[in-house]
Amino acid sequence: MSRTHHTDPELVHRLSRRGMLGVAAGATAAALLGAAATPAGAATGTASAAAGRGRPVLPPGRLGIQLYSLRDKVSTLGFAPVFAELKKYGYDEVEFAGYTQGSAGPISLAQLRRLARDHGLNPIGSHVGYYASDPNAYTFAQNLDKVLDDAQALGLKHIGTASGPFRYGSTVDAWKRAAEEFNTYGAAARARGMKFYQHNHSEEFSFATDNPKVRLYDVLLAETDPKLVYLEMDIFWAYSGQFRFSKRPDGTPAPFEPLDYVLRQPDRYPLFHVKDGVSDPGNQYGYRMTDVGDGDIDYQRFISGVTRLRGHRLAHHWQAEHDNPTESFTFARRSSEHLHSLREKC
């Protein structure tokens, strides 16, 4: 999708996630699936050609999808047909961005958990807002207990936010203050057997307004307790951040490699968003988002770099995502085919 317009796509993305509404699983919707239903084993020629004889890069049982990418299908078909398709495509897990998506009717958390389990899908995590001006808002800051109650009802092991730590501004002290709140949420989640996590966009890799030598993401890492606050690296946005913020405001070099953050502290990254982009230096974000496998982000290198670490083959969860896919079932199917086709280099 084009990202050259003036509307901030990161802001639109965050706000639209918070506004997702509900729909019951539609038993009569299965007939609408049609040609989109292609088994995971029926890989495209490109995916088949990419497959080698080495060990699969993708660990078994660890491929998930962020359901935000399929919000159009959930809102028209319901969760059950969507879950059936995802299992057919080879997915193991789902990550929520709100627990109801659409307008056909409500669905309880117990029903949603049962639907996922019945289709062989593990609900692995969910995105919830960080804060809002409304004291009754469904956010960590306003309704922490309710957020954690719901996560427990779904059996989630991870509960997090896609909101950046910009609540108090972009200074070092502002991020320290946000980090303190994240530690509070992390402690509350840990007490219930869950991990609290934060999902990045590219702005997290920008520099503090009061100290342009300091990268804000580094403040977040330093000021949060690694036993309480975890990170879900959105790999697309991390490489966008690399494109945008490899120089300080004064023009001096400040290069970084997203993978290095993970390799230095792999235990802090239980979850990843696997999102692809075509390199486009003329675009302010450096990339144009595309289906996984159609872009220039080297997922063979990135995923194998993490899973080759001793004891980390099965320690992470990889969630395919596209903010606005042209056809969401096609995106889900092709992304799974590509990721399953990747092999370790001999």
Side-chain angles (χ1 to χ4, degrees):
M1 67 179 178
S2 173
R3 292 185 174 266
T4 58
H5 51 75
H6 297 293
T7 303
D8 183 348
E10 296 188 50
L11 177 61
V12 171
H13 179 63
R14 291 194 292 269
L15 293 178
S16 60
R17 280 178 183 255
R18 296 173 193 164
M20 293 165 69
L21 301 173
V23 62
T28 62
L32 300 177
L33 295 173
T38 303
T44 63
T46 300
S48 298
R53 295 183 178 180
R55 183 177 71 166
V57 167
L58 189 71
R62 290 297 185 270
L63 179 61
I65 193 165
Q66 168 52 255
L67 290 173
Y68 180 77
S69 304
L70 294 155
R71 60 196 181 277
D72 63 322
K73 293 298 191 291
V74 175
S75 67
T76 55
L77 304 178
F79 279 104
V82 170
F83 287 169
E85 290 301 292
L86 293 177
K87 192 60 182 178
K88 192 182 299 182
Y89 299 158
Y91 286 93
D92 310 293
E93 302 173 333
V94 289
E95 182 186 32
F96 295 97
Y99 306 130
T100 55
Q101 297 172 244
S103 58
I107 182 170
S108 72
L109 295 177
Q111 289 174 316
L112 191 53
R113 181 178 186 178
R114 186 166 57 251
L115 276 176
R117 299 293 187 186
D118 287 350
H119 288 89
L121 296 170
N122 179 32
I124 192 63
S126 182
H127 288 186
V128 177
Y130 167 20
Y131 66 94
S133 57
D134 178 0
N136 298 312
Y138 189 77
T139 66
F140 283 95
Q142 277 71 35
N143 270 295
L144 177 60
D145 287 340
K146 174 62 174 170
V147 167
L148 297 181
D149 286 345
D150 289 350
Q152 273 194 306
L154 272 170
L156 301 181
K157 296 299 183 184
H158 308 83
I159 181 68
T161 184
S163 303
F166 293 96
R167 182 179 187 180
Y168 304 108
S170 299
T171 66
V172 172
D173 284 344
W175 274 52
K176 286 183 178 180
R177 187 176 176 187
E180 185 177 349
E181 293 183 343
F182 280 15
N183 284 331
T184 298
Y185 309 151
R190 184 181 181 183
R192 299 187 187 217
M194 294 180 284
K195 292 180 178 179
F196 169 81
Y197 64 95
Q198 193 268 341
H199 163 287
N200 66 276
H201 292 83
S202 64
E203 288 291 341
E204 281 86 335
F205 296 94
S206 63
F207 298 94
T209 54
D210 62 332
N211 188 344
K213 293 183 179 180
V214 175
R215 194 180 301 280
L216 288 172
Y217 195 71
D218 296 337
V219 177
L220 178 66
L221 283 168
E223 297 296 327
T224 51
D225 186 332
K227 295 181 180 180
L228 300 178
V229 177
Y230 297 84
L231 290 307
E232 176 180 59
M233 180 174 282
D234 185 303
I235 300 167
F236 171 92
W237 285 121
Y239 279 102
S240 174
Q242 180 194 59
F243 173 84
R244 298 179 66 192
F245 304 112
S246 283
K247 291 184 179 180
R248 298 184 181 89
D250 65 1
T252 58
F256 73 94
E257 165 55 51
L259 178 57
D260 288 345
Y261 275 103
V262 183
L263 298 183
R264 284 194 294 265
Q265 299 187 64
D267 291 331
R268 296 206 73 177
Y269 293 88
L271 305 171
F272 293 90
H273 272 190
V274 180
K275 187 185 299 180
D276 214 343
V278 176
S279 179
D280 181 3
N283 184 311
Q284 64 175 321
Y285 293 98
Y287 293 88
R288 290 177 286 107
M289 203 173 293
T290 189
D291 291 354
V292 179
D294 289 346
D296 296 311
I297 297 176
D298 188 347
Y299 277 110
Q300 191 280 339
R301 170 181 171 270
F302 195 102
I303 298 175
S304 64
V306 177
T307 58
R308 280 179 173 177
L309 295 173
R310 185 171 183 177
H312 282 271
R313 174 109 176 118
L314 297 175
H316 308 273
H317 304 266
W318 306 89
Q319 316 294 309
E321 188 187 30
H322 191 314
D323 290 1
N324 290 291
T326 301
E327 208 294 313
S328 56
F329 275 151
T330 301
F331 154 74
R333 174 179 54 80
R334 296 183 72 245
S335 297
S336 174
E337 288 172 354
H338 176 72
L339 292 168
H340 278 109
S341 77
L342 297 177
R343 295 293 184 270
E344 298 281 5
K345 292 180 179 179
C346 299

